């Protein structure tokens, strides 16, 4: 099956959405990767998110939340497992299905590997005619629906190449935060998609110009991208003089600039971490955050000393976590008048309007 688990600097399924919009992104990402190799060693936000996502995947495959760090993670895990079981039930899973977990598959041009993907979970029916491809997404990023999700479609292409007998591919994303509608794709549809995928892969090998857009925010090549640098230098009309129909473009550009600024700052953090005198007048200051662990033990140790009232005054309760805990309860407990378990909390919630923020509408 898979050659090995090394992507070998070739494009992979997780980047297809971006590459379909900007094929140059692959080239830029490879160039920037060398500059950022140390960033991986030094950690950073992306690595923390990746570690969080990996821990959730481990828990799903071990079917145990024991190693997850926080109560929120454990609640997310319960929700994912419930939704996953519901999906498998609807798909018609059987005990003798074949299951493949996190295995890398390759697409070839003649005998050369040109693209790879590592689906989180594949389930194939015993007659090998039906397959389900599932991605687990535990973070808050909202993904494209399975019917238009490039990552899932390109994984279906890889599986179709691997197993020519599969006629139906069910694509699904399981998340604790959003519900997605599974999409059933026929083999012919997957092969049609493959044509466009191969065109895009050819474009990643030639010198196409970078094309900016919303997809830039996930691009690893932003740090050295000339199109972004050009956008950063372009002068715009003053917002009050700008035709409002052009305002969405300006706001999207500013979002890209914010990401670009973060990329540049992160790069110089690395430079200064290596040589504290490299950038005159700038230094790195480490921030520390104090965290409390084991809430039960804290309550047992502190409440007898400061009293119950002072203790509860010092503790903040998370509405989201309480709602998630209620959500995880057996719905049979809520019969009769108490049909909606979330109503339990309603009498205690006070809503305060905070300062409005500007967000982009989801399409
Ligand atoms: S930053 Fe945007 S335009 Fe530049 S290479 Fe990446 S995706 Fe393309």
């Amino acid at each position: 099956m898979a050659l090995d688990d090394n992507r070998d600097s070739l494009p992979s399924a997780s980047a297809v959405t971006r590459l379909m919009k900007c094929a140059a992104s692959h080239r830029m990402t490879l160039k920037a990767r060398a500059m950022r190799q140390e960033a991986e060693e030094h950690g950073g936000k992306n690595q923390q998110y990746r570690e969080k996502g990996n821990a959730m995947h481990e828990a799903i495959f071990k079917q145990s939340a024991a190693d997850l760090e926080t109560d929120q993670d454990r609640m997310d895990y319960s929700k994912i497992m419930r939704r996953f079981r519901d999906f498998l039930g609807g798909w018609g899973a059987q005990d003798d299905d074949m299951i493949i977990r996190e295995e890398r598959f390759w697409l070839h041009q003649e005998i050369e590997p040109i693209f790879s993907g590592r689906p989180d979970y594949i389930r194939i029916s015993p007659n090998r005619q039906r397959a389900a491809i599932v991605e687990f997404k535990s973070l808050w990023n909202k993904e494209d629906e399975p019917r238009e999700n490039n990552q899932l479609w390109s994984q279906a292409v890889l599986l179709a190449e691997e197993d020519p007998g599969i006629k139906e591919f069910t694509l699904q994303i399981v998340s604790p935060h959003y519900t997605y509608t599974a999409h059933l794709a026929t083999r012919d549809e997957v092969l049609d998609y493959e044509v466009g995928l191969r065109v895009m892969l050819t474009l990643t090998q030639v010198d196409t110009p970078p094309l900016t857009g919303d997809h830039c925010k996930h691009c690893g090549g932003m740090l050295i991208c000339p199109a972004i640098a050009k956008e950063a230098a372009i002068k715009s009309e003053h917002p009050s003089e700008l035709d409002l129909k052009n305002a969405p473009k300006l706001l999207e550009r500013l979002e890209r600039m914010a990401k670009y600024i973060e990329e540049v700052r992160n790069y110089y953090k690395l430079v200064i971490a290596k040589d504290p005198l490299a950038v005159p007048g700038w230094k790195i200051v480490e921030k520390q955050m104090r965290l409390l662990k084991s809430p039960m033990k804290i309550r047992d140790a502190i409440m007898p000393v400061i009293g119950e009232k002072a203790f509860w005054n010092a503790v903040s309760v998370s509405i989201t976590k309480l709602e998630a805990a209620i959500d995880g309860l057996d719905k049979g407990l809520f019969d009769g008048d108490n049909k909606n378990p979330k109503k339990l909390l309603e009498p205690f919630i006070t809503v305060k309007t905070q300062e409005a923020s500007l967000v982009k509408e989801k399409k």
Side-chain angles (χ1 to χ4, degrees):
M1 270 198 188
L3 294 174
D4 58 42
D5 194 38
N6 188 345
R7 277 179 286 174
D8 214 14
S9 301
L10 293 170
S12 69
S14 55
V16 175
T17 299
R18 187 178 69 255
L19 293 175
M20 287 286 191
K21 292 180 175 144
C22 174
S25 164
H26 181 63
R27 204 173 68 245
M28 297 291 160
T29 302
L30 290 185
K31 276 195 201 168
R33 188 185 293 168
M35 293 170 69
R36 252 200 310 262
Q37 258 166 3
E38 283 175 80
E40 299 296 320
E41 285 156 26
H42 286 275
K45 226 194 284 174
N46 286 344
Q47 189 166 332
Q48 284 164 23
Y49 288 146
R50 260 201 306 276
E51 281 167 6
K52 218 170 167 47
N54 290 345
M56 184 62 78
H57 280 202
E58 279 278 301
I60 293 166
F61 294 138
K62 284 203 284 194
Q63 300 198 23
S64 163
D67 292 336
L68 293 175
E69 271 192 6
T70 66
D71 290 345
Q72 183 64 54
D73 290 344
R74 283 185 279 279
M75 281 188 274
D76 288 352
Y77 165 82
S78 304
K79 227 168 176 179
I80 285 183
M81 293 309 278
R82 206 171 48 248
R83 289 181 173 173
F84 183 41
R85 277 193 291 272
D86 288 350
F87 166 72
L88 289 180
W91 184 76
Q94 300 175 30
D95 288 345
D96 47 357
D97 290 337
M98 181 184 179
I99 295 169
I100 303 170
R101 289 174 184 153
E102 296 190 309
E103 188 168 313
R104 191 167 290 282
F105 291 87
W106 296 83
L107 185 69
H108 296 85
Q109 184 74 40
E110 300 184 345
I111 57 164
E112 281 295 308
I114 53 169
F115 175 76
S116 75
R118 194 170 68 159
D120 287 339
Y121 181 94
I122 295 176
R123 196 164 183 121
I124 302 174
S125 63
N127 64 6
R128 299 189 75 85
Q129 300 211 339
R130 300 169 59 235
I133 302 177
V134 180
E135 279 295 307
F136 298 104
K137 302 286 185 188
S138 55
L139 305 181
W140 277 98
N141 295 349
K142 175 96 168 76
E143 304 292 329
D144 289 337
E145 278 291 331
R147 72 171 181 286
E148 56 200 17
N149 188 292
N150 284 297
Q151 184 178 8
L152 286 167
W153 276 94
S154 57
Q155 288 170 347
V157 168
L158 294 167
L159 186 58
E161 166 147 312
E162 183 72 26
D163 192 331
I166 298 174
K167 294 192 170 71
E168 274 181 23
F169 301 79
T170 304
L171 313 179
Q172 180 58 309
I173 298 167
V174 179
S175 148
H177 313 299
Y178 309 104
T179 49
Y180 293 93
T181 306
H183 181 75
L184 183 68
T186 63
R187 186 173 190 87
D188 284 348
E189 287 168 333
V190 171
L191 297 183
D192 276 351
Y193 181 88
E194 182 179 343
V195 176
L197 179 69
R198 284 185 181 272
V199 171
M200 178 277 282
L201 291 171
T202 309
L203 289 175
T204 64
Q205 302 305 315
V206 294
D207 202 7
T208 50
L211 298 170
T212 58
D214 211 26
H215 49 275
C216 292
K217 59 182 176 236
H218 302 301
C219 177
M222 187 178 251
L223 184 63
I224 54 154
C225 173
I228 289 288
K230 201 167 162 196
E231 272 200 347
I234 281 178
K235 286 187 190 146
S236 168
E237 287 166 90
H238 190 279
S240 65
E241 291 161 2
L242 187 71
D243 191 328
L244 282 180
K245 73 173 188 312
N246 294 325
K249 276 201 165 155
L250 175 63
L251 287 168
E252 279 171 20
R253 213 167 80 199
L254 292 179
E255 277 191 344
R256 284 196 289 281
M257 290 311 101
K259 173 82 198 308
Y260 178 57
I261 290 166
E262 194 188 324
E263 291 277 298
V264 174
R265 290 179 66 91
N266 283 340
Y267 174 68
Y268 283 120
K269 264 196 233 169
L270 286 175
V271 172
I272 298 172
K274 213 168 171 186
D275 174 2
L277 301 177
V279 182
W282 289 79
K283 64 178 180 181
I284 294 177
V285 178
E286 288 198 332
K287 289 183 197 157
Q288 287 185 333
M289 207 163 84
R290 297 188 304 163
L291 299 167
L292 286 172
K293 285 187 177 171
S294 312
M296 302 288 195
K297 287 184 190 160
I298 296 162
R299 186 197 58 188
D300 294 347
I302 306 295
M303 198 189 277
V305 180
I306 63 171
E308 196 171 343
K309 197 172 170 202
F311 181 81
W312 287 116
N313 270 340
V315 171
S316 61
V317 178
S318 156
I319 295 177
T320 324
K321 287 181 184 172
L322 279 179
E323 281 180 341
I326 293 170
D327 207 38
L329 292 174
D330 179 0
K331 298 291 181 286
L333 295 171
F334 297 89
D335 288 337
D337 295 341
N338 229 351
K339 282 218 167 78
N340 182 355
K342 284 205 173 164
K343 284 200 180 297
L344 270 179
L345 270 185
E346 264 182 24
F348 308 106
I349 296 177
T350 313
V351 179
K352 278 188 186 169
T353 306
Q354 295 181 316
E355 193 186 341
S357 57
L358 189 59
V359 291
K360 192 172 169 193
E361 282 184 272
K362 292 205 164 75
K363 285 175 193 157

PDB file of all heavy atoms in Angstrom, residues 18 22 24-25 28 210-212 215-216 219 221-222 225 227-228, ligand 1:
ATOM      1  N   ARG A  18      -5.935  25.023  -1.121  1.00  0.00           N
ATOM      2  CA  ARG A  18      -5.119  26.214  -1.396  1.00  0.00           C
ATOM      3  C   ARG A  18      -4.435  26.097  -2.765  1.00  0.00           C
ATOM      4  O   ARG A  18      -4.415  27.052  -3.541  1.00  0.00           O
ATOM      5  CB  ARG A  18      -4.083  26.389  -0.286  1.00  0.00           C
ATOM      6  CG  ARG A  18      -3.306  27.667  -0.375  1.00  0.00           C
ATOM      7  CD  ARG A  18      -2.333  27.825   0.769  1.00  0.00           C
ATOM      8  NE  ARG A  18      -1.223  26.899   0.718  1.00  0.00           N
ATOM      9  CZ  ARG A  18      -1.077  25.835   1.478  1.00  0.00           C
ATOM     10  NH1 ARG A  18      -1.998  25.537   2.366  1.00  0.00           N
ATOM     11  NH2 ARG A  18      -0.042  25.046   1.356  1.00  0.00           N
ATOM     12  N   CYS A  22      -3.963  28.655  -5.813  1.00  0.00           N
ATOM     13  CA  CYS A  22      -2.638  29.245  -6.064  1.00  0.00           C
ATOM     14  C   CYS A  22      -1.614  28.124  -6.107  1.00  0.00           C
ATOM     15  O   CYS A  22      -1.104  27.689  -5.067  1.00  0.00           O
ATOM     16  CB  CYS A  22      -2.291  30.251  -4.962  1.00  0.00           C
ATOM     17  SG  CYS A  22      -0.607  30.882  -5.107  1.00  0.00           S
ATOM     18  N   ALA A  24       1.351  28.256  -7.082  1.00  0.00           N
ATOM     19  CA  ALA A  24       2.690  28.719  -6.675  1.00  0.00           C
ATOM     20  C   ALA A  24       2.924  28.503  -5.180  1.00  0.00           C
ATOM     21  O   ALA A  24       4.069  28.503  -4.719  1.00  0.00           O
ATOM     22  CB  ALA A  24       2.845  30.205  -7.004  1.00  0.00           C
ATOM     23  N   SER A  25       1.837  28.323  -4.436  1.00  0.00           N
ATOM     24  CA  SER A  25       1.952  28.162  -2.987  1.00  0.00           C
ATOM     25  C   SER A  25       2.867  26.994  -2.611  1.00  0.00           C
ATOM     26  O   SER A  25       3.580  27.044  -1.616  1.00  0.00           O
ATOM     27  CB  SER A  25       0.544  27.955  -2.400  1.00  0.00           C
ATOM     28  OG  SER A  25       0.628  27.458  -1.118  1.00  0.00           O
ATOM     29  N   MET A  28       6.480  28.215  -3.000  1.00  0.00           N
ATOM     30  CA  MET A  28       6.792  29.196  -1.947  1.00  0.00           C
ATOM     31  C   MET A  28       6.950  28.498  -0.595  1.00  0.00           C
ATOM     32  O   MET A  28       7.828  28.826   0.193  1.00  0.00           O
ATOM     33  CB  MET A  28       5.665  30.227  -1.810  1.00  0.00           C
ATOM     34  CG  MET A  28       5.439  31.060  -3.034  1.00  0.00           C
ATOM     35  SD  MET A  28       6.796  32.187  -3.332  1.00  0.00           S
ATOM     36  CE  MET A  28       6.521  32.505  -5.057  1.00  0.00           C
ATOM     37  N   PRO A 210       2.086  33.739  -8.112  1.00  0.00           N
ATOM     38  CA  PRO A 210       1.232  33.550  -6.936  1.00  0.00           C
ATOM     39  C   PRO A 210      -0.045  34.383  -7.039  1.00  0.00           C
ATOM     40  O   PRO A 210       0.002  35.526  -7.512  1.00  0.00           O
ATOM     41  CB  PRO A 210       2.096  34.025  -5.760  1.00  0.00           C
ATOM     42  CG  PRO A 210       3.334  34.595  -6.345  1.00  0.00           C
ATOM     43  CD  PRO A 210       3.348  34.415  -7.812  1.00  0.00           C
ATOM     44  N   LEU A 211      -1.161  33.810  -6.651  1.00  0.00           N
ATOM     45  CA  LEU A 211      -2.448  34.513  -6.730  1.00  0.00           C
ATOM     46  C   LEU A 211      -3.020  34.666  -5.319  1.00  0.00           C
ATOM     47  O   LEU A 211      -3.340  33.656  -4.685  1.00  0.00           O
ATOM     48  CB  LEU A 211      -3.438  33.713  -7.591  1.00  0.00           C
ATOM     49  CG  LEU A 211      -3.022  33.504  -9.044  1.00  0.00           C
ATOM     50  CD1 LEU A 211      -3.935  32.504  -9.730  1.00  0.00           C
ATOM     51  CD2 LEU A 211      -3.035  34.838  -9.793  1.00  0.00           C
ATOM     52  N   THR A 212      -3.115  35.883  -4.868  1.00  0.00           N
ATOM     53  CA  THR A 212      -3.556  36.092  -3.475  1.00  0.00           C
ATOM     54  C   THR A 212      -5.064  35.890  -3.343  1.00  0.00           C
ATOM     55  O   THR A 212      -5.823  36.016  -4.302  1.00  0.00           O
ATOM     56  CB  THR A 212      -3.202  37.513  -2.988  1.00  0.00           C
ATOM     57  OG1 THR A 212      -3.814  38.439  -3.865  1.00  0.00           O
ATOM     58  CG2 THR A 212      -1.717  37.739  -2.918  1.00  0.00           C
ATOM     59  N   HIS A 215      -7.320  32.088   0.657  1.00  0.00           N
ATOM     60  CA  HIS A 215      -6.551  30.863   0.898  1.00  0.00           C
ATOM     61  C   HIS A 215      -5.157  31.160   1.454  1.00  0.00           C
ATOM     62  O   HIS A 215      -4.514  30.276   2.010  1.00  0.00           O
ATOM     63  CB  HIS A 215      -6.409  30.082  -0.417  1.00  0.00           C
ATOM     64  CG  HIS A 215      -5.952  30.937  -1.549  1.00  0.00           C
ATOM     65  ND1 HIS A 215      -6.813  31.683  -2.305  1.00  0.00           N
ATOM     66  CD2 HIS A 215      -4.710  31.204  -2.033  1.00  0.00           C
ATOM     67  CE1 HIS A 215      -6.130  32.359  -3.209  1.00  0.00           C
ATOM     68  NE2 HIS A 215      -4.852  32.086  -3.057  1.00  0.00           N
ATOM     69  N   CYS A 216      -4.667  32.411   1.322  1.00  0.00           N
ATOM     70  CA  CYS A 216      -3.297  32.735   1.752  1.00  0.00           C
ATOM     71  C   CYS A 216      -3.106  32.494   3.249  1.00  0.00           C
ATOM     72  O   CYS A 216      -1.997  32.225   3.693  1.00  0.00           O
ATOM     73  CB  CYS A 216      -2.960  34.193   1.455  1.00  0.00           C
ATOM     74  SG  CYS A 216      -2.846  34.533  -0.294  1.00  0.00           S
ATOM     75  N   CYS A 219      -1.168  29.513   4.045  1.00  0.00           N
ATOM     76  CA  CYS A 219      -0.021  29.228   3.180  1.00  0.00           C
ATOM     77  C   CYS A 219       1.291  29.344   3.952  1.00  0.00           C
ATOM     78  O   CYS A 219       1.583  30.374   4.558  1.00  0.00           O
ATOM     79  CB  CYS A 219      -0.009  30.198   1.993  1.00  0.00           C
ATOM     80  SG  CYS A 219       1.426  29.956   0.938  1.00  0.00           S
ATOM     81  N   GLY A 221       4.097  29.624   2.624  1.00  0.00           N
ATOM     82  CA  GLY A 221       5.075  30.381   1.849  1.00  0.00           C
ATOM     83  C   GLY A 221       4.899  31.879   1.942  1.00  0.00           C
ATOM     84  O   GLY A 221       5.603  32.646   1.265  1.00  0.00           O
ATOM     85  N   MET A 222       3.970  32.327   2.788  1.00  0.00           N
ATOM     86  CA  MET A 222       3.647  33.758   2.839  1.00  0.00           C
ATOM     87  C   MET A 222       4.868  34.641   3.133  1.00  0.00           C
ATOM     88  O   MET A 222       5.018  35.728   2.583  1.00  0.00           O
ATOM     89  CB  MET A 222       2.578  33.981   3.899  1.00  0.00           C
ATOM     90  CG  MET A 222       2.049  35.376   3.936  1.00  0.00           C
ATOM     91  SD  MET A 222       0.764  35.509   5.171  1.00  0.00           S
ATOM     92  CE  MET A 222      -0.670  35.679   4.158  1.00  0.00           C
ATOM     93  N   CYS A 225       6.517  35.376  -0.118  1.00  0.00           N
ATOM     94  CA  CYS A 225       5.691  35.505  -1.316  1.00  0.00           C
ATOM     95  C   CYS A 225       5.739  36.936  -1.888  1.00  0.00           C
ATOM     96  O   CYS A 225       5.383  37.886  -1.198  1.00  0.00           O
ATOM     97  CB  CYS A 225       4.245  35.136  -0.976  1.00  0.00           C
ATOM     98  SG  CYS A 225       3.137  35.468  -2.343  1.00  0.00           S
ATOM     99  N   ALA A 227       3.844  38.306  -4.105  1.00  0.00           N
ATOM    100  CA  ALA A 227       2.506  38.900  -4.283  1.00  0.00           C
ATOM    101  C   ALA A 227       2.025  39.533  -2.983  1.00  0.00           C
ATOM    102  O   ALA A 227       1.391  40.590  -2.977  1.00  0.00           O
ATOM    103  CB  ALA A 227       1.531  37.830  -4.751  1.00  0.00           C
ATOM    104  N   ILE A 228       2.348  38.883  -1.861  1.00  0.00           N
ATOM    105  CA  ILE A 228       1.945  39.435  -0.559  1.00  0.00           C
ATOM    106  C   ILE A 228       2.765  40.694  -0.262  1.00  0.00           C
ATOM    107  O   ILE A 228       2.230  41.697   0.205  1.00  0.00           O
ATOM    108  CB  ILE A 228       2.146  38.375   0.557  1.00  0.00           C
ATOM    109  CG1 ILE A 228       1.111  37.276   0.404  1.00  0.00           C
ATOM    110  CG2 ILE A 228       2.077  39.003   1.938  1.00  0.00           C
ATOM    111  CD1 ILE A 228      -0.300  37.655   0.779  1.00  0.00           C
TER     112      ILE A 228
HETATM  113  S1  LIG B   1       0.807  33.695   0.182  1.00  0.00           S
HETATM  114 FE1  LIG B   1      -0.996  33.457  -1.111  1.00  0.00          FE
HETATM  115  S2  LIG B   1      -0.373  34.237  -3.119  1.00  0.00           S
HETATM  116 FE2  LIG B   1       1.493  33.837  -1.957  1.00  0.00          FE
HETATM  117  S3  LIG B   1       2.069  31.771  -2.536  1.00  0.00           S
HETATM  118 FE3  LIG B   1       0.850  31.614  -0.660  1.00  0.00          FE
HETATM  119  S4  LIG B   1      -1.236  31.256  -1.387  1.00  0.00           S
HETATM  120 FE4  LIG B   1      -0.072  32.011  -3.139  1.00  0.00          FE
END
